[in-house]
Amino acid sequence: MSVSTAATTLVYVVRNQARVRGDDIAFEFEGRVTRFADFDRKTDQVANALQALGIAPGERIAYLGKNSDIYFELLVGAMKAKIVMAPVNWRLAGPEVAFIVEDCKAPALFVGPEFIGLVRSIRAQLPSVRHIITTEGGTGEWQDFTAWRDAQSTDAPHIEIGPQDVALQLYTSGTTGKPKGAMLSHANFLNLVNSGNAEERPDWNKWTTDDVSLIAMPIFHIGGSGWGLLGLYHGAKGVIAREFDPTRILDYFEQSGITKLFMVPAAMQFVVRLPRARQVDFSRLKYMLYGASPIPAALLKECIDVFKCGFVQMYGMTETTGTIVALPPEDHVEGLERMRSAGKPLPGVEVAILDPDGNRLPPRTVGEIATRSGSNMVGYWNLPDATARTLDRDGWLRTGDAGYLDEDGYVYIHDRIKDMIISGGENIYPAEVESALCDHPDIAEAAVIGIPDDKWGEAVKAVVVLKLGRTATETDIINFLRARIAGYKTPKSIDFIDALPRNPSGKILRRSLRAPYWSGKDRQVN
């Protein structure tokens, strides 16, 4: 049962599901089952526990851990106390984790068992953190989550929550080298599910209480947290995978009867290439939704043959609270031009193609994709200038993607205006990697580009100019970076050249560095 359109906050959604479906399962995680009534009660306790720590409405808390039912308790409990959750990408290196936790000034940090050692190593770099709580025990010096939560009353906190209040802060890679906290409100999340006539929605976008949703993507992405909240809204059982493991994903299909899930193309490839995938019964699977990067036609065909369900391509970004454009199953027809598109805007979403001056362009003319809807973010945390560059006063959000619309309103992605690389569904900005590269004592200057990669979609390549007389090797540089930035950002290969190509004003000509690798491709994203 979906919640009525009267829902104005996610807190209302949770309370309503507890009232009408209290005995049904909300989440299942590694043998632990949480029913809707239990979830409502536990999240009240979390809200009271956060208040008992002295955390005020509007403050942030940080979570460094893998997917867990506890994360969703913290997320919704924080909402009930008008406190904002900021999950941290656990793939990041220590200095990157410390930056995010300090950027959001989190007085409390919740830590999964795998990252206790990491937090110990960066504790001195976290002056804002007053409380560290471990989600699954594992240490004597910090309090355990369950004991911390259960010491509190189950009474509902008396705090008024509004639709425009920020519900979640997700960090995105930064064009200037530092991540930015995208603030997403209750209204942002509820806009798309409340838009349009529910009866007229396509089948792929309808949910029933019999649906079983797999939360397989990491919760520090909108494809993890957002997907989990979507299932909660519709009253579907959410099966939570601690992390993406292709073998375990097949287990979930067999053991839990998954009917819907979201995955990035690189993850789909890992699953479908397992020999066992040909033996698994996927008969309960209705729809596989995918996105975050383009999918090779051959991989999509293989997935359609193996999974035998409806496929829906999704296009969106953190700043749009996830999906704003979708390509439905009926357009997944080999040879159809629309198969190359990202799909059509969802109800309540406007999409326009703009030139550099903000003028609308006609069909089949490439420009920057811009979008306007109630799901566009509130803004970037404490970054008014960056917010103004992305969101204009009329509510149009510039995506940084280059593309065009056809005569029927289908969106085609052609390139990226901003220098972003997407590898395995993770966004990587060259500026982040170049900043780390230039800390190396032997490097004079560096440029980072994305090149096509069959496994990850795109791979990170560095082009480096060494200081005169220095002799650093590819291995030296890669090992140097691994201690400073996340593994997925670290270049897979390094080219050494005498000088970087630049235009007359001194700007690095990244496109000339990329050109040999993208020659012959009809779009400059992979």
Side-chain angles (χ1 to χ4, degrees):
M1 176 191 299
S2 296
V3 180
S4 91
T5 53
T8 57
T9 70
L10 292 163
V11 170
Y12 172 90
V13 168
V14 170
R15 297 217 184 281
N16 189 66
Q17 294 291 18
R19 180 177 60 82
V20 299
R21 306 193 53 239
D23 290 336
D24 292 335
I25 296 173
F27 291 112
E28 180 182 289
F29 176 69
E30 297 185 349
R32 189 162 57 215
V33 164
T34 306
R35 301 182 188 279
F36 284 101
D38 294 333
F39 186 71
D40 189 37
R41 175 180 54 79
K42 287 177 178 179
T43 51
D44 282 340
Q45 288 181 291
V46 168
N48 292 328
L50 290 170
Q51 290 179 295
L53 291 180
I55 302 175
E59 287 193 284
R60 273 61 180 153
I61 59 171
Y63 174 89
L64 178 65
K66 298 188 176 181
N67 293 8
S68 164
D69 51 354
I70 288 173
Y71 166 76
F72 285 99
E73 284 185 31
L74 280 165
L75 173 60
V76 174
M79 290 178 194
K80 288 181 173 183
K82 210 171 182 175
I83 292 165
V84 181
M85 166 61 78
V88 183
N89 183 340
W90 50 261
R91 294 172 178 156
L92 298 178
E96 296 172 306
V97 170
F99 171 82
I100 290 175
V101 175
E102 279 304 299
D103 182 72
C104 67
K105 296 287 184 275
L109 171 62
F110 294 83
V111 185
E114 301 91 344
F115 306 104
I116 289 170
L118 172 61
V119 172
R120 284 187 181 127
S121 73
I122 62 171
R123 183 66 185 95
Q125 300 168 49
L126 306 175
S128 297
V129 175
R130 303 193 303 268
H131 310 280
I132 297 176
I133 296 170
T134 57
T135 60
E136 297 177 49
T139 175
E141 74 245 57
W142 299 322
Q143 195 170 4
D144 174 61
F145 169 83
T146 303
W148 169 80
R149 178 198 65 199
D150 290 350
Q152 298 299 320
S153 163
T154 58
D155 293 342
H158 297 293
I159 296 180
E160 189 173 338
I161 314 296
Q164 303 307 321
D165 289 331
V166 176
L168 178 65
Q169 185 161 307
L170 293 176
Y171 276 81
T172 70
S173 294
T175 51
T176 57
K178 295 296 184 184
K180 305 188 293 290
M183 298 182 289
L184 306 177
S185 70
H186 293 267
N188 290 157
F189 279 99
L190 294 172
N191 170 67
L192 293 180
V193 289
N194 287 340
S195 293
N197 187 330
E199 299 306 315
E200 295 175 0
R201 283 184 193 146
D203 286 345
W204 68 264
N205 206 14
K206 291 178 180 175
W207 293 68
T208 74
T209 53
D210 292 328
D211 275 318
V212 181
S213 163
L214 179 62
I215 304 160
M217 296 295 96
I219 48 81
F220 53 78
H221 283 319
I222 190 67
S225 282
W227 183 253
L229 290 170
L230 183 64
L232 197 64
Y233 174 91
H234 288 290
K237 180 167 93 171
V239 177
I240 302 170
R242 184 182 288 267
E243 61 184 317
F244 178 78
D245 175 338
T247 302
R248 289 288 294 126
I249 297 299
L250 291 178
D251 292 341
Y252 290 122
F253 283 114
E254 290 186 324
Q255 297 164 11
S256 301
I258 304 300
T259 63
K260 287 187 176 183
L261 77 160
F262 172 83
M263 282 202 291
V264 300
M268 294 164 67
Q269 177 173 283
F270 285 125
V271 175
V272 81
R273 295 281 161 83
L274 290 174
R276 184 176 147 220
R278 271 70 181 169
Q279 283 82 53
V280 170
D281 178 8
F282 296 108
S283 60
R284 275 188 53 80
L285 181 61
K286 299 178 191 173
Y287 297 105
M288 182 173 288
L289 291 77
Y290 65 94
S293 64
I295 188 167
L299 173 59
L300 179 58
K301 184 178 186 303
E302 185 179 1
C303 288
I304 290 172
D305 290 343
V306 171
F307 296 114
K308 295 181 173 61
C309 65
F311 281 78
V312 186
Q313 182 173 179
M314 321 296 279
Y315 169 73
M317 52 199 300
T318 303
E319 290 88 340
T320 61
T321 321
T323 303
I324 52 169
V325 169
L327 185 73
E330 58 268 26
D331 285 331
H332 282 69
V333 178
E334 197 170 357
L336 192 69
E337 183 194 13
R338 289 173 181 172
M339 273 281 283
R340 292 179 49 249
S341 79
K344 292 186 75 171
L346 296 178
V349 175
E350 297 175 82
V351 170
I353 307 299
L354 306 179
D355 69 11
D357 297 322
N359 302 308
R360 290 201 183 204
L361 294 170
R364 299 191 182 274
T365 305
V366 174
E368 184 170 10
I369 300 170
T371 180
R372 180 166 65 181
S373 80
S375 288
N376 282 353
M377 67 174 180
V378 175
Y380 294 118
W381 167 250
N382 285 340
L383 294 171
D385 292 343
T387 300
R389 285 193 297 271
T390 303
L391 262 176
D392 70 22
R393 282 177 291 186
D394 295 324
W396 285 95
L397 185 147
R398 288 180 173 266
T399 66
D401 288 325
Y404 62 88
L405 292 169
D406 71 9
E407 294 77 5
D408 297 317
Y410 283 77
V411 180
Y412 291 76
I413 313 296
H414 179 74
D415 199 351
R416 296 192 189 102
I417 291 168
K418 53 191 181 185
D419 294 319
M420 186 170 70
I421 302 162
I422 299 183
S423 183
E426 295 280 5
N427 294 352
I428 303 159
Y429 277 98
E432 292 184 87
V433 186
E434 289 163 357
S435 176
L437 278 163
C438 289
D439 286 339
H440 192 287
D442 293 347
I443 293 176
E445 56 180 357
V448 170
I449 59 173
I451 62 174
D453 184 90
D454 289 340
K455 179 185 285 187
W456 302 109
E458 295 173 13
V460 181
K461 173 179 275 291
V463 183
V464 164
V465 177
L466 294 177
K467 293 176 180 175
L468 192 63
R470 301 295 178 90
T471 57
T473 66
E474 180 178 73
T475 301
D476 294 336
I477 294 169
I478 288 173
N479 287 340
F480 174 84
L481 291 177
R482 281 184 177 140
R484 289 162 173 79
I485 58 175
Y488 67 86
K489 298 177 187 175
T490 302
K492 301 295 182 286
S493 59
I494 297 177
D495 289 348
F496 296 88
I497 60 175
D498 294 332
L500 294 176
R502 297 179 183 272
N503 67 12
S505 63
K507 185 177 180 181
I508 295 171
L509 297 172
R510 252 182 257 278
R511 289 195 180 277
S512 67
L513 294 172
R514 294 175 83 232
Y517 301 98
W518 294 90
S519 177
K521 293 185 175 288
D522 61 354
R523 60 185 178 191
Q524 303 301 299
V525 291
N526 194 53

